Amino acid sequence: MNTDYKGYTIITAPERDDPSGLWNGRYRIMDDEGIVVYESFVEPLRDEDKAYEAANAAARAWIDGQ
């Protein structure tokens, strides 16, 4: 899902890790020109929705720290 936040675009998605069955919350942050400025994962979680929420929160925290 794409979200605009403080001049950046946040792209978040939960991805299932088949061997462990956990969800990796992946996030990518792009500037106003569409250039990726940061990309990472949050700690794997058992719940898909919680992985998505954690990735969104981590992305916003990164932006707030800039």
Side-chain angles (χ1 to χ4, degrees), residues 2 4 6-7 15 17 26 34 41 45 47-48 56 58 61-62:
N2 293 2
D4 292 329
K6 294 186 177 181
E15 298 176 353
D17 181 27
R26 179 185 189 116
F41 291 92
L45 298 165
D47 183 89
E48 179 181 9
N56 194 23
W62 185 88

Side-chain angles (χ1 to χ4, degrees), residues 9-29:
T9 298
I10 301 170
I11 301 171
T12 53
E15 298 176 353
R16 186 155 187 132
D17 181 27
D18 288 334
S20 71
L22 298 175
W23 290 91
N24 297 311
R26 179 185 189 116
Y27 61 98
R28 178 179 291 159
I29 301 168

Side-chain angles (χ1 to χ4, degrees), residues 45-60:
L45 298 165
R46 294 196 183 279
D47 183 89
E48 179 181 9
D49 291 333
K50 293 205 182 295
Y52 169 77
E53 291 170 13
N56 194 23
R60 289 173 186 261

